[in-house]
Amino acid sequence: MPADIKRQIADTLLQLLEKKSLEKITVKELVTICGISRQTFYYHFEDVLDVVDWWTRQGAQQLMEESMRTDDPRKALRVFVDYTTEHRKTLQHILASRWREQLEMRLVQVFTTYLQDMLHRAHPNLAMSPSDEEAFLTFYACGISGMLMAQPPRTDAEKETLVNQLYWLLFQNPWGHILHS
């Protein structure tokens, strides 16, 4: 039951984020729409930001699970592209709020975990120092999240183009092609 209440509150927040900015959403509004007491809300969450944090953690977990179910990097990247497209308005409202940094850090964390798993699967005996691996993963995780947030694709063709661009950047050594042309 508690997870259902949390999900109900988070889903209500997401519906409201489709229409207005995060700063304009109040606990009072959430409890009224959900038909719960303030006490119930505060039993599950500290404030609206805590709901956002819970939603981003749940979304991150879902993305990781879905992306790890495939060995095809393009399909895994498509999971991320589809998610950001589906939640485009919500993400834009969060990015336009004072909680932008929190969302960006969560996205980078998700992509870092995904890329680390992909790296270790593809190269189990890779000789890279921990600090070099961290730099590599942070660079690419920031790049992917930045590309997804900058202009989420709207059409299937735009989604496919973005998946192909991300794949090219991650798996086809574009600097090698550019520098040797």
Side-chain angles (χ1 to χ4, degrees):
M1 182 76 163
D4 293 339
I5 296 290
K6 283 185 155 192
R7 173 60 51 204
Q8 179 188 8
I9 294 168
D11 288 346
T12 301
L13 176 67
L14 296 179
Q15 291 169 5
L16 291 170
L17 280 170
E18 288 292 318
K19 301 172 191 153
K20 60 183 176 177
S21 72
L22 189 56
E23 277 88 0
K24 295 189 183 203
I25 298 171
T26 64
V27 171
K28 180 180 180 180
E29 185 176 21
L30 287 170
V31 300
T32 300
I33 294 170
C34 289
I36 60 173
S37 68
R38 290 177 74 83
Q39 183 179 357
T40 300
F41 178 89
Y42 287 114
Y43 176 79
H44 296 287
F45 297 108
E46 292 179 20
D47 53 22
V48 175
L49 176 57
D50 197 26
V51 180
V52 171
D53 187 55
W54 185 84
W55 175 73
T56 57
R57 280 182 288 143
Q58 295 298 306
Q61 184 64 35
Q62 175 189 345
L63 284 172
M64 288 311 305
E65 289 171 5
E66 284 185 49
S67 66
M68 296 301 176
R69 280 195 282 260
T70 180
D71 287 331
D72 181 350
R74 286 180 199 265
K75 288 180 182 175
L77 291 168
R78 184 62 186 245
V79 168
F80 294 112
V81 170
D82 287 344
Y83 187 85
T84 55
T85 302
E86 179 183 342
H87 297 287
R88 184 175 58 83
K89 277 270 197 214
T90 301
L91 294 169
Q92 287 174 339
H93 280 255
I94 295 171
L95 288 171
S97 75
R98 62 180 176 237
W99 295 296
R100 176 187 187 101
E101 187 176 334
Q102 178 185 349
L103 177 63
E104 288 175 338
M105 286 183 349
R106 182 75 66 204
L107 287 170
V108 169
Q109 183 181 42
V110 168
F111 291 120
T112 300
T113 302
Y114 165 72
L115 292 171
Q116 187 174 38
D117 184 76
M118 291 294 291
L119 182 65
H120 290 255
R121 273 200 239 172
H123 305 284
N125 300 319
L126 184 65
M128 185 183 286
S129 74
S131 65
D132 287 347
E133 182 176 315
E134 182 181 351
F136 171 83
L137 294 171
T138 301
F139 177 81
Y140 279 100
C142 288
I144 293 170
S145 60
M147 286 182 72
L148 289 172
M149 293 293 92
Q151 188 64 36
R154 295 176 187 262
T155 67
D156 284 339
E158 288 175 354
K159 288 179 191 179
E160 202 54 39
T161 297
L162 182 55
V163 167
N164 289 332
Q165 289 169 336
L166 290 170
Y167 181 84
W168 179 70
L169 289 168
L170 287 169
F171 300 102
Q172 295 188 323
N173 188 15
W175 283 106
H177 295 294
I178 292 168
L179 296 175
H180 295 100
S181 295

PDB file of all heavy atoms in Angstrom, residues 20 27 144:
ATOM      1  N   LYS A  20       2.156  22.870 -15.592  1.00  0.00           N
ATOM      2  CA  LYS A  20       2.750  24.048 -14.952  1.00  0.00           C
ATOM      3  C   LYS A  20       4.106  23.726 -14.341  1.00  0.00           C
ATOM      4  O   LYS A  20       4.488  22.564 -14.217  1.00  0.00           O
ATOM      5  CB  LYS A  20       1.807  24.622 -13.906  1.00  0.00           C
ATOM      6  CG  LYS A  20       1.427  23.693 -12.782  1.00  0.00           C
ATOM      7  CD  LYS A  20       0.425  24.432 -11.892  1.00  0.00           C
ATOM      8  CE  LYS A  20      -0.113  23.608 -10.775  1.00  0.00           C
ATOM      9  NZ  LYS A  20      -1.006  24.396  -9.937  1.00  0.00           N
ATOM     10  N   VAL A  27       2.042  21.085  -1.856  1.00  0.00           N
ATOM     11  CA  VAL A  27       1.613  19.881  -1.149  1.00  0.00           C
ATOM     12  C   VAL A  27       0.093  19.888  -1.032  1.00  0.00           C
ATOM     13  O   VAL A  27      -0.558  18.863  -1.231  1.00  0.00           O
ATOM     14  CB  VAL A  27       2.282  19.785   0.244  1.00  0.00           C
ATOM     15  CG1 VAL A  27       1.667  18.656   1.072  1.00  0.00           C
ATOM     16  CG2 VAL A  27       3.787  19.584   0.105  1.00  0.00           C
ATOM     17  N   ILE A 144      25.807  12.359 -23.074  1.00  0.00           N
ATOM     18  CA  ILE A 144      24.538  11.724 -23.418  1.00  0.00           C
ATOM     19  C   ILE A 144      23.371  12.460 -22.768  1.00  0.00           C
ATOM     20  O   ILE A 144      22.391  12.793 -23.427  1.00  0.00           O
ATOM     21  CB  ILE A 144      24.523  10.238 -22.986  1.00  0.00           C
ATOM     22  CG1 ILE A 144      25.520   9.434 -23.810  1.00  0.00           C
ATOM     23  CG2 ILE A 144      23.125   9.649 -23.151  1.00  0.00           C
ATOM     24  CD1 ILE A 144      25.726   8.026 -23.277  1.00  0.00           C
TER      25      ILE A 144
END
